[in-house]
């Protein structure tokens, strides 16, 4: 039996060796070679590849630099060759050469010539294993094909110690029957090790370290292969998460993120893909069932998720979420476009009050909605302008100052912040956006020494040290001509710092204007704690005073109240003659609105109002 086992093992070992050798080579090198080949194809010009490489040194240099990145102690040589009209092989690129070897003659070895001819004939990658060479273990010959024609051959040489390891293992097997089974086990372990090492490394790269769900790396890997007809896209964002971090600390925020990730896993199927898309934003690719090919069941799942999040409490903190749902994924050109549409819908849900679901609907204006990626590019390239609307004496039309209104240019129109500000609220993009607006207006004030402006600022702007630093590093003649309008646009958790910073700016010389008075919940806190010179009565009140006695009486008392405490009232949203007449009757001195002027660029403003 021992002899038969030995004979069987002895005859089986070469077969196992070849199979194992090929498997290990594929695992260890094929991904690298495919990546190198994809790099060439990614940089493939529209015109003829071979002609471009030969005639354009800059393109050749760039391609060489891209390929040189892959050189390592294992991948030792990468070069491109081509066959000329006389069927001679010549160099295109040699990543190891300091000189440009283009068109130099390449002389293949006898066995290598056969391999090259096979590549041209079969249009397939060929692999050569060098068992007798101590420096080069494996050579790949990869055809570079453009429009069905081989333009070049990529040759890559690996120095690969694993071949020696395999031969050593096989040699041990051949030495005796007693250790043959152990050697087989070792070979299997080596194969499994290499395979699972590749799998585990990929898994680690794809898993978010905090939540244990997939990350954006995984999304990048599946974006081109996922079948959009089989999935619904759900974007879920935890409401007011920045406030949670600011109030309770990032450790609590991290625990909440882990809890929400576990909640999603518990309430979704294994076939559904959950990805941490951003800080507190989750992407769910929900697989459609055969019984529900349109994915309408996903709406009920989304409602269930919202309810589960409302019920979930970490240390007594109440949580809600907003969801954007894209059912029409099959209409998107690719996965990223389907995600973009769900993302737009998510921010619509946040603008409409949060803790709700919005469903994406194709409309004629859908293409005009700005995405977060587009907004990021606009802000980072500083495509921001300000328009100016005057605050005037409503009797003689003399200008008190001009309110600065931020705009971004998107496609063929200018967008006001109301259409996109919620997308970036609480992110670094928001504060960069604010700083760009501040700098824009400081530049205008320095350019036009007689103009007086106001700048809208949210509570979070007054809590940002960089913005406070910008405003306290301004020359006095500019400070005197810039008013700061305090908006009530968000929840405030640090009133003491807010009060301290606003009053600091007041002492520095800025006039403070309380904006949107009468529309919010903390107006009287601002009144009692912040030394403001002007109070702007909100347009939602002003536009109804000619038609509604309650709003008329409210405005009358607000105006009287402002004057009693030494503040100057300003009426917003003066849009017609009726409102104008009532304001004069109520004793309001200043107003702002389209009745006096629409917002204009700075050049138009100077031209229209300078005398």
């Amino acid at each position: 039996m021992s002899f038969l086992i030995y004979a069987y093992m002895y005859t089986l070992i070469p077969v196992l060796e070849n199979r194992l050798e090929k498997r290990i080579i594929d695992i260890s090198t094929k991904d690298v070679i495919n990546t190198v080949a994809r790099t060439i194809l990614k940089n493939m010009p529209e015109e003829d590849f071979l002609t471009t490489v030969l005639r354009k040194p800059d393109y050749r240099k760039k391609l060489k630099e891209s390929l040189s990145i892959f050189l390592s102690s294992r991948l030792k040589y990468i070069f491109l060759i081509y066959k000329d009209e006389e069927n001679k092989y010549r160099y295109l690129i040699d990543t190891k050469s300091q000189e440009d070897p283009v068109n130099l003659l390449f002389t293949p070895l006898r066995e290598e010539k056969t391999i090259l001819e096979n590549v041209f004939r079969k249009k397939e990658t060929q692999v050569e294993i060098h068992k007798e060479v101590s420096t080069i273990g494996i050579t790949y010959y990869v055809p570079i094909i453009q429009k069905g024609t081989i333009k070049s051959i990529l040759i890559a040489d690996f120095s690969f110690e694993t071949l020696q390891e395999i031969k050593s293992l096989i040699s041990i097997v051949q030495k005796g029957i007693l250790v043959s089974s152990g050697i087989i086990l070792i070979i299997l372990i080596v194969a499994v090790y290499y395979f699972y090492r590749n799998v585990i490394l990929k898994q680690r790269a794809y898993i978010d370290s905090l939540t244990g769900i997939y990350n954006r790396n995984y999304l990048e890997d599946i974006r081109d292969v996922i079948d959009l007809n089989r999935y619904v896209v759900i974007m879920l964002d935890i409401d007011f998460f920045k406030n949670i971090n600011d109030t309770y600390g990032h450790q609590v925020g991290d625990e909440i993120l882990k809890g929400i990730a576990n909640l999603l896993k518990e309430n979704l199927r294994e076939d559904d893909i959950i990805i941490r898309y951003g800080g507190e934003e989750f992407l769910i690719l929900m697989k459609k069932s055969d019984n529900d090919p349109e994915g309408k069941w996903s709406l009920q799942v989304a409602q269930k998720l919202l309810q589960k999040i409302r019920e979930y409490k970490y240390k007594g903190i109440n949580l809600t979420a907003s969801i954007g749902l894209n059912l029409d994924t099959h209409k998107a050109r690719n996965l990223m476009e389907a995600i973009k549409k769900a993302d737009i819908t998510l921010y619509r849900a946040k603008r409409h009050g949060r803790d709700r679901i919005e469903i994406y609907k194709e409309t004629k204006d859908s293409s005009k909605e700005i995405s977060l990626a587009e907004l990021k590019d606009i802000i980072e390239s500083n495509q921001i302008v300000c328009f100016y609307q005057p605050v005037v004496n409503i009797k003689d039309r003399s200008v008190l100052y001009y309110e600065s209104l931020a705009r971004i240019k998107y496609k063929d129109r200018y967008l006001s912040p109301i259409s996109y500000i919620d997308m970036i609220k609480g992110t670094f993009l928001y504060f960069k956006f604010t700083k760009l607006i501040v700098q824009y207006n400081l530049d205008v004030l320095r350019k036009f020494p007689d103009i007086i402006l106001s700048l809208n600022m949210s509570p979070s702007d007054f809590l940002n040290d960089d913005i406070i630093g910008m405003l306290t590093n301004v020359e006095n003649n500019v400070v005197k001509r810039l008013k700061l309008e305090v908006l009530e646009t968000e929840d405030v958790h640090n009133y003491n710092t807010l009060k301290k910073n606003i009053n600091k700016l007041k002492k520095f010389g800025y006039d403070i204007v309380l904006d949107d008075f009468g529309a919010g919940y903390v107006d009287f806190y601002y009144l009692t704690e912040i030394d403001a010179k002007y109070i702007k009565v909100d347009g939602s009140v002003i536009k109804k005073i000619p038609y509604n006695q309650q709003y008329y009486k409210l405005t009358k008392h607000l105006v009287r109240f402002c004057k009693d405490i030494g503040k100057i009232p300003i009426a917003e949203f003066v849009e017609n003659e009726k409102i104008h007449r009532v304001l004069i009757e109520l004793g309001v001195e200043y107003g702002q609105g389209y009745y006096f002027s629409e917002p204009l660029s700075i050049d138009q403003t100077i031209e229209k109002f300078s005398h």
Side-chain angles (χ1 to χ4, degrees):
M1 287 298 296
S2 296
F3 177 79
L4 290 174
I5 292 172
Y6 180 84
Y8 174 74
M9 294 299 302
Y10 190 83
T11 56
L12 186 62
I13 284 173
V15 177
L16 292 175
E17 180 184 6
N18 289 334
R19 290 180 180 176
L20 183 62
E21 185 177 72
K22 185 177 184 303
R23 184 68 179 275
I24 293 176
I25 289 171
D26 282 349
I27 292 172
S28 302
T29 62
K30 201 168 186 179
D31 283 350
V32 177
I33 289 299
N34 288 341
T35 303
V36 175
R38 281 198 299 269
T39 299
I40 297 173
L41 296 176
K42 184 178 178 182
N43 291 279
M44 182 79 70
E46 292 185 2
E47 57 268 23
D48 185 77
F49 173 74
L50 179 59
T51 303
T52 302
V53 177
L54 289 172
R55 295 182 180 178
K56 294 184 177 181
D58 289 343
Y59 176 81
R60 196 163 59 244
K61 180 180 178 183
K62 180 181 177 183
L63 185 57
K64 178 181 177 181
E65 291 172 351
S66 299
L67 296 177
S68 298
I69 295 172
F70 296 97
L71 292 176
S72 66
S73 59
R74 300 182 71 183
L75 181 51
K76 302 197 71 172
Y77 302 100
I78 301 174
F79 51 97
L80 291 170
I81 64 170
Y82 74 100
K83 186 190 287 187
D84 65 13
E85 295 176 353
E86 298 177 359
N87 285 329
K88 293 181 179 180
Y89 295 103
R90 296 186 180 275
Y91 281 98
L92 274 179
I93 291 174
D94 184 354
T95 56
K96 280 285 190 177
S97 174
Q98 298 296 323
E99 304 296 329
D100 189 353
V102 66
N103 275 327
L104 291 180
L105 190 65
F106 172 81
T107 305
L109 301 174
R110 184 174 59 185
E111 61 274 14
E112 192 172 37
K113 189 173 182 181
T114 302
I115 294 171
L116 291 172
E117 293 302 323
N118 284 336
V119 173
F120 272 97
R121 186 176 69 256
K122 298 179 179 181
K123 294 185 179 181
E124 295 177 353
T125 298
Q126 303 291 314
V127 183
E128 176 70 7
I129 301 170
H130 307 285
K131 296 187 177 181
E132 307 300 327
V133 181
S134 60
T135 57
I136 298 174
I138 306 165
T139 300
Y140 274 84
Y141 303 86
V142 182
I144 305 302
I145 300 173
Q146 185 183 43
K147 296 180 180 179
T149 302
I150 296 179
K151 299 295 181 179
S152 174
I153 294 180
L154 164 69
I155 301 178
D157 292 327
F158 282 87
S159 175
F160 200 49
E161 294 80 3
T162 307
L163 294 175
Q164 294 299 321
E165 294 176 9
I166 296 171
K167 287 192 288 186
S168 176
L169 291 173
I170 301 303
S171 175
I172 294 172
V173 175
Q174 291 172 330
K175 288 179 181 179
I177 295 175
L178 293 177
V179 293
S180 60
S181 59
I183 293 173
I184 294 172
L185 180 62
I186 291 173
I187 295 173
L188 290 174
I189 289 173
V190 170
V192 169
Y193 166 73
Y194 275 100
F195 178 76
Y196 280 102
R197 184 182 71 168
N198 191 40
V199 171
I200 290 170
L201 285 175
K202 282 190 174 182
Q203 285 182 340
R204 287 179 181 173
Y206 291 154
I207 299 300
D208 178 62
S209 59
L210 176 66
T211 60
I213 60 177
Y214 288 121
N215 58 22
R216 293 285 287 268
N217 293 333
Y218 182 69
L219 175 62
E220 288 298 316
D221 203 52
I222 66 170
R223 58 183 292 180
D224 296 325
V225 297
I226 199 159
D227 184 358
L228 292 176
N229 293 310
R230 300 176 64 191
Y231 288 91
V232 168
V233 177
I234 299 174
M235 295 294 291
L236 183 149
D237 185 89
I238 303 173
D239 295 331
F240 301 110
F241 187 75
K242 179 181 181 297
N243 294 342
I244 294 172
N245 272 337
D246 292 344
T247 305
Y248 301 101
H250 288 277
Q251 185 173 356
V252 170
D254 289 348
E255 291 300 320
I256 288 173
L257 288 173
K258 288 192 281 188
I260 295 298
N262 288 332
L263 183 150
L264 295 177
K265 287 190 284 187
E266 290 168 2
N267 289 278
L268 293 168
R269 302 162 300 180
E270 290 187 4
D271 287 342
D272 300 326
I273 300 170
I274 310 169
I275 298 172
R276 187 181 177 194
Y277 192 73
E280 69 274 19
E281 194 172 0
F282 297 87
L283 165 65
I284 301 166
L285 301 178
M286 186 174 170
K287 196 168 185 180
K288 299 176 183 177
S289 66
D290 294 337
N291 298 328
D292 182 29
E294 295 182 359
K296 292 181 179 180
W297 177 251
S298 60
L299 178 58
Q300 296 186 43
V301 175
Q303 290 171 334
K304 177 185 174 183
L305 292 177
L306 283 194
Q307 184 58 37
K308 291 291 183 181
I309 291 172
R310 294 185 194 109
E311 295 169 359
Y312 175 83
K313 285 181 173 57
Y314 180 80
K315 294 187 175 180
I317 300 172
N318 293 319
L319 296 174
T320 61
S322 301
I323 285 180
L325 180 60
N326 182 5
L327 298 172
D328 297 329
T329 50
H330 60 284
K331 295 181 181 178
R333 290 173 295 180
N334 51 54
L335 176 60
M336 300 314 291
E337 183 179 288
I339 292 172
K340 171 187 170 183
K341 292 176 179 178
D343 204 34
I344 290 170
T345 311
L346 166 65
Y347 283 99
R348 186 185 301 134
K350 295 177 80 67
R351 286 198 300 273
H352 290 172
R354 296 180 169 86
D355 191 22
R356 60 187 290 129
I357 299 169
E358 290 281 342
I359 301 175
Y360 182 82
K361 295 178 181 177
E362 289 284 353
T363 65
K364 292 181 179 179
D365 293 330
S366 293
S367 61
K368 295 184 179 180
E369 295 191 47
I370 191 168
S371 69
L372 183 58
E374 290 171 321
L375 185 55
K376 178 176 180 290
D377 290 340
I378 288 171
I379 292 173
E380 292 189 340
S381 59
N382 195 11
Q383 299 178 49
I384 296 169
V385 298
C386 288
F387 282 46
Y388 298 90
Q389 189 174 43
V391 174
V392 303
N393 184 302
I394 64 174
K395 290 183 179 179
D396 62 19
R397 307 291 180 98
S398 60
V399 176
L400 178 65
Y401 66 86
Y402 302 91
E403 180 181 356
S404 174
L405 302 168
R407 300 287 186 268
I408 62 170
K409 188 166 186 182
Y410 178 64
K411 297 184 178 178
D412 58 346
R413 58 200 170 119
Y414 288 100
L415 299 184
S416 68
I418 193 172
S419 61
Y420 53 79
I421 201 68
D422 283 340
M423 278 198 269
I424 59 171
K425 188 66 69 67
T427 69
F428 76 97
L429 280 176
Y430 173 81
F431 293 110
K432 184 168 185 177
F433 177 67
T434 301
K435 286 188 278 188
L436 289 172
I437 295 167
V438 172
Q439 189 60 55
Y440 186 98
N441 284 281
L442 292 177
D443 292 341
V444 169
L445 287 164
R446 290 175 180 130
K447 183 177 180 180
F448 301 99
D450 296 325
I451 198 169
I452 301 174
L453 304 179
S454 74
L455 191 61
N456 290 308
M457 294 179 62
S458 67
S460 59
D461 295 330
F462 288 104
L463 295 173
N464 185 279
D465 291 337
D466 290 341
I467 294 172
I468 298 299
M470 285 182 72
L471 292 170
T472 53
N473 192 31
V474 177
E475 55 270 31
N476 189 51
N477 69 320
V478 172
V479 172
K480 290 179 178 179
R481 294 182 290 115
L482 182 58
K483 305 180 190 301
L484 304 178
E485 299 199 12
V486 185
L487 302 172
E488 189 195 345
T489 58
E490 56 195 45
D491 295 334
V492 180
H493 298 282
N494 196 339
Y495 283 110
N496 290 333
T497 304
L498 177 67
K499 172 186 171 183
K500 175 185 171 184
N501 286 349
I502 292 178
N503 288 332
K504 175 182 177 181
L505 292 168
K506 171 73 176 177
K507 290 178 182 178
F508 195 74
Y510 291 102
D511 281 339
I512 304 299
V513 182
L514 294 185
D515 201 3
D516 304 322
F517 189 77
Y521 302 101
V522 294
D523 291 334
F524 287 96
Y525 170 83
Y526 287 147
L527 275 178
T528 56
E529 299 294 332
I530 295 172
D531 185 13
K533 184 174 181 180
Y534 302 93
I535 294 178
K536 297 179 84 170
V537 183
D538 190 66
S540 63
V541 175
I542 296 297
K543 66 183 180 180
K544 296 176 182 177
I545 57 175
Y547 317 105
N548 187 304
Q549 276 297 305
Q550 288 182 328
Y551 282 97
Y552 176 89
K553 292 176 181 179
L554 174 62
T555 306
K556 180 179 179 179
H557 290 297
L558 283 176
V559 171
R560 184 181 300 167
F561 173 73
C562 289
K563 292 182 177 180
D564 286 345
I565 62 174
K567 312 294 184 184
I568 301 173
I570 298 171
E572 294 185 302
F573 215 95
V574 184
E575 61 178 9
N576 56 49
E577 176 62 27
K578 286 184 180 180
I579 296 174
H580 182 228
R581 284 200 305 266
V582 175
L583 290 174
I584 293 175
E585 176 185 323
L586 290 173
V588 177
E589 188 176 354
Y590 296 101
Q592 176 184 1
Y594 274 73
Y595 179 70
F596 304 114
S597 175
E598 63 180 334
L600 302 170
S601 69
I602 185 60
D603 292 332
Q604 292 171 325
T605 299
I606 296 299
E607 181 180 351
K608 181 175 180 179
F609 292 99
S610 61
H611 300 289

